[in-house]
């Protein structure tokens, strides 16, 4: 029998939501060792905020990454650090259009117990290769992030925008963090854990995803998580699917399972559409559940499933995602408002256990507001929605 998400709507402050569901700080006594975003190892999660279109020394869209270090007073209360490609120890130089920080992925890539940060700069000109792209790992340590190492592009001539999406996970279950990198084609390069500051890795392999190969319109997002609880990270890949004329049509997601050899395409499962997704344990069974934001209005020329947008949830099982998705929209009991054209419900989704009950809670961004839904296992009960008038939906991650 398919599990159902039971939700109650929670009232929360704007400060709590804009701090992000997945990066809430925790005291050292409550924090697990090796937190995936604890760059200085003090037991508090840190927050990396990106601004890839920011100007640096007059160079437009050069990009910056700002780190708010966690503390008992919250993220950024004691220390804030900003990085660009002009920062000491960071490879390259800030140039117009580099878009440093377009995508980031924290992980302990060299296994020293400190979280590091992989940063994509897909607009970087690599020699004569315009917009070839690059990925830099900023290294964690007792003093926080410092220095950096470039991740080698294995096939620069075959693509551009290397690093437009990055995702960390232990895809082969060997206990080391791997790094998946996408560019503007439908392949993903996966670098095995064992990174060093000199640039070596534990190996590399490439996978061709089921996403349609249309240069510049390929992989939009990568979301890592262990759906079947086998100890190996799986990967949800988002992009366009093909039609009978091999032209791009609607958005599509595919689940690619992790294995002893890494991410594999045999056994791939097609999922509902939606560019933004997250993975967490909504029902508390120890398996990752996939939440996909489908912000589009339903209609003949759209991948949308509900007027005003919707969120699709696929619960994890021992064999992968449950094939029957649960749909939540603004007409769902316990969710305020009603389905209206243009609401963009599902514009952003983010999971995290806000109240510590063992069930991940779901934040949903919509037009001009955000909604927090508690995964509780009880009957939904409606309360006031969270309104963030200065934002058009979304959460920091």
């Amino acid at each position: 029998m398919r599990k159902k998400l039971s939700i109650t709507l929670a009232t929360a402050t704007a400060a709590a939501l804009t701090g992000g569901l997945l990066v809430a700080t925790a005291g050292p006594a409550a924090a697990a060792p090796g937190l995936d975003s604890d760059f200085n190892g003090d037991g508090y999660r840190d927050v990396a905020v990106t601004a890839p279109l920011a100007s640096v020394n007059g160079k437009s869209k050069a990009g910056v990454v700002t780190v708010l270090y966690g503390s008992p007073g919250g993220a950024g209360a004691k220390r804030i650090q900003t990085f660009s490609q002009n920062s000491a120890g960071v490879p390259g130089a800030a140039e117009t259009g580099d878009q440093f920080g377009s995508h980031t992925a924290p992980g302990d890539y060299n296994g020293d117990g400190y979280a590091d940060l992989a940063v994509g700069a897909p607009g970087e000109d690599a020699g004569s290769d315009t917009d070839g792209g690059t990925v830099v790992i900023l290294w964690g340590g007792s003093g926080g992030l410092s220095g950096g190492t470039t991740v080698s592009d294995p096939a620069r001539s075959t693509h551009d925008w290397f690093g437009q999406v990055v995702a960390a996970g232990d895809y082969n279950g060997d206990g080391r963090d791997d790094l998946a990198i996408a560019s503007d084609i439908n392949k993903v390069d996966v670098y095995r854990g064992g990174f060093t500051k000199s640039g070596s890795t534990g190996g590399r392999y490439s996978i061709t995803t089921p996403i349609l190969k249309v240069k510049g319109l390929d992989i939009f997002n990568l979301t890592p998580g262990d759906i079947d609880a086998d100890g190996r990270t799986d990967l949800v890949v988002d992009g366009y699917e093909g039609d009978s004329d091999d032209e791009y049509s609607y958005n599509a997601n595919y689940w690619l399972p992790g294995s002893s050899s890494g991410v594999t395409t045999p056994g791939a499962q097609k999922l509902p559409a939606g560019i933004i997704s997250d993975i967490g344990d909504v029902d508390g069974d120890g398996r990752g559940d996939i939440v996909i934001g489908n912000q589009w209005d339903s209609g003949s020329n759209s991948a949308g499933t509900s007027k005003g947008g919707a969120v699709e949830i696929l619960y994890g099982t021992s064999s992968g995602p449950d094939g029957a998705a649960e749909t939540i929209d603004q007409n769902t009991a316990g969710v305020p408002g009603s389905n209206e054209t243009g609401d963009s419900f599902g514009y952003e989704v983010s999971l995290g256990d806000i109240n510590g009950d063992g069930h991940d809670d779901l934040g949903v961004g919509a037009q001009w507001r955000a909604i927090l839904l508690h995964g509780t296992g009880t009957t939904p009960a409606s309360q006031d929605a969270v309104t963030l008038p200065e934002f058009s939906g979304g959460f920091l991650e």
Side-chain angles (χ1 to χ4, degrees):
M1 178 180 294
R2 182 164 67 94
K3 298 180 286 292
K4 297 286 288 183
L5 173 68
S6 294
I7 53 176
T8 58
L9 185 66
T11 301
T13 65
L17 283 177
T18 56
L21 296 184
L22 296 182
V23 293
T25 57
L35 290 172
D36 63 2
S37 58
D38 184 5
F39 303 123
N40 58 2
D42 64 355
Y44 294 92
R45 285 185 173 90
D46 308 315
V47 181
V49 181
T50 66
L53 302 184
S55 295
V56 177
N57 292 345
K59 305 293 185 180
S60 64
K61 300 181 181 179
V64 299
V65 175
T66 299
V67 178
L68 291 76
Y69 287 93
S71 72
K78 288 190 173 181
R79 185 185 178 197
I80 297 175
Q81 190 177 19
T82 297
F83 293 90
S84 74
Q85 289 180 288
N86 283 354
S87 298
V90 177
E95 299 167 322
T96 298
D98 282 351
Q99 298 187 39
F100 181 76
S102 284
H103 215 273
T104 60
D108 185 6
Y109 297 112
N110 60 356
D112 65 354
Y114 296 97
D116 313 304
L117 187 66
V119 182
E124 171 85 4
D125 292 342
S128 60
D129 184 6
T130 302
D131 294 336
T134 191
V135 174
V136 171
I137 295 179
L138 304 178
W139 300 107
S142 59
L145 293 176
S146 64
T149 300
T150 299
V151 179
S152 176
D153 185 344
R156 189 172 299 282
S157 63
T158 66
H159 57 241
D160 288 323
W161 289 84
F162 183 73
Q164 70 173 354
V165 187
V166 292
D170 184 6
Y171 300 111
N172 59 359
D174 67 353
R176 300 188 295 181
D177 282 344
D178 311 316
L179 179 62
I181 302 176
S183 60
D184 68 346
I185 60 175
N186 64 341
K187 289 186 177 181
V188 175
D189 292 300
V190 183
Y191 295 77
R192 293 188 175 93
F195 292 78
T196 68
K197 294 183 180 181
S198 63
S200 63
T201 72
R204 182 194 60 81
Y205 60 95
S206 296
I207 55 173
T208 300
T209 72
I211 297 302
L212 183 67
K213 183 179 180 181
V214 177
K215 192 173 177 64
L217 289 173
D218 292 288
I219 295 172
F220 293 158
N221 201 15
L222 299 173
T223 305
D226 189 0
I227 308 305
D228 50 11
D230 65 352
R232 304 178 181 110
T233 305
D234 310 314
L235 197 60
V236 174
V237 181
D238 177 80
Y240 279 108
E241 61 177 339
D243 58 20
S244 59
D245 297 322
D246 288 331
E247 296 179 354
Y248 70 87
S249 52
Y250 291 145
N251 181 269
N253 285 286
Y254 288 88
W255 170 72
L256 307 182
S259 71
S260 59
S261 60
V263 181
T264 60
T265 53
Q269 179 178 329
K270 186 178 177 181
L271 307 175
I275 296 175
I276 304 300
S277 60
D278 202 358
I279 297 174
D281 188 6
V282 172
D283 55 6
D285 68 351
R287 299 187 180 97
D289 307 310
I290 303 171
V291 177
I292 300 173
N294 187 329
Q295 71 186 64
W296 301 292
D297 292 300
S298 56
S300 59
N301 294 317
S302 169
T305 58
S306 297
K307 182 169 68 173
V311 172
E312 309 284 352
I313 301 176
L314 296 100
Y315 292 94
T317 74
S318 59
S319 57
D322 190 330
E326 177 182 350
T327 300
I328 296 175
D329 58 25
Q330 292 175 101
N331 283 350
T332 300
V335 178
S338 60
N339 291 352
E340 297 175 314
T341 300
D343 279 352
S344 296
F345 184 81
Y347 179 87
E348 175 66 278
V349 293
S350 187
L351 287 167
D353 186 3
I354 298 299
N355 56 5
D357 65 353
H359 301 271
D360 274 350
D361 308 305
L362 172 61
V364 182
Q367 188 71 8
W368 308 118
R369 65 174 178 168
I371 298 169
L372 177 62
L373 304 171
H374 276 317
T376 63
T378 61
T379 303
S382 179
Q383 300 176 28
D384 292 337
V386 177
T387 301
L388 303 177
E390 65 269 45
F391 295 100
S392 57
F395 300 87
L396 298 177
E397 295 192 47

